[in-house]
């Protein structure tokens, strides 16, 4: 049984990762919760404890409008096909601080 503080929801959303001002890669989020996200990064390796900026491009149903959402997250789990990340307390770009620290 998994230990989770919030339920996960399956998604398929494009996520753009960046490290500071440098864009790293375009990936796909496969599940999300209130506290974190799993992102398919194959074949990109991202080390644990790495703080990254995430930008989501969300298309509004039945329109051509795309909304951009930015969140800072820390890699908590790294595996062959992707990374598990925990959202930071400050969800906007800027100073990143881990939840609970």
């Amino acid at each position: 049984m998994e230990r989770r503080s919030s339920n996960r929801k399956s998604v398929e959303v494009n996520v753009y990762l960046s490290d500071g001002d440098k864009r790293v890669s375009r990936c796909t989020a496969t599940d999300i919760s209130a506290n974190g996200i799993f992102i398919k990064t194959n074949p990109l390796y991202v080390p644990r404890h790495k703080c990254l900026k995430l930008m989501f491009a969300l298309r509004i149903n039945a329109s051509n409008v795309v909304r951009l959402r930015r969140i800072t997250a820390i890699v908590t789990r790294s595996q062959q096909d992707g990374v598990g990340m925990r959202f930071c307390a400050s969800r906007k770009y800027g100073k990143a601080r881990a939840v609970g620290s």
Side-chain angles (χ1 to χ4, degrees):
M1 179 165 196
E2 294 185 61
R3 296 176 301 153
R4 301 222 173 249
S5 57
S6 60
N7 293 328
R8 290 185 291 174
K9 179 169 175 67
S10 292
V11 295
E12 191 171 324
V13 177
N14 286 333
V15 180
Y16 298 87
L17 303 179
S18 65
D19 183 5
D21 294 331
K22 178 182 153 196
R23 181 175 164 193
V24 176
S25 183
R26 185 183 98 178
C27 304
T28 302
T30 59
D31 72 58
I32 192 166
S33 73
N35 299 321
I37 191 167
F38 184 82
I39 299 173
K40 295 270 189 183
T41 58
N42 196 15
L44 177 69
Y45 171 74
V46 183
R48 286 186 68 207
H49 307 294
K50 180 79 173 164
C51 184
L52 294 172
K53 295 176 182 179
L54 312 179
M55 184 175 69
F56 298 86
L58 305 171
R59 184 172 299 281
I60 306 303
N61 287 341
S63 76
N64 290 329
V65 175
V66 175
R67 295 217 173 145
L68 301 178
R69 295 291 183 239
R70 294 173 173 90
I71 298 174
T72 304
I74 296 174
V75 176
T76 57
R77 175 172 55 103
S78 186
Q79 57 190 57
Q80 204 169 38
D81 64 339
V83 294
M85 303 186 79
R86 181 180 67 227
F87 298 132
C88 295
S90 171
R91 295 203 175 197
K92 293 263 185 184
Y93 280 3
K95 203 173 206 177
R97 195 177 52 145
V99 174
S101 62

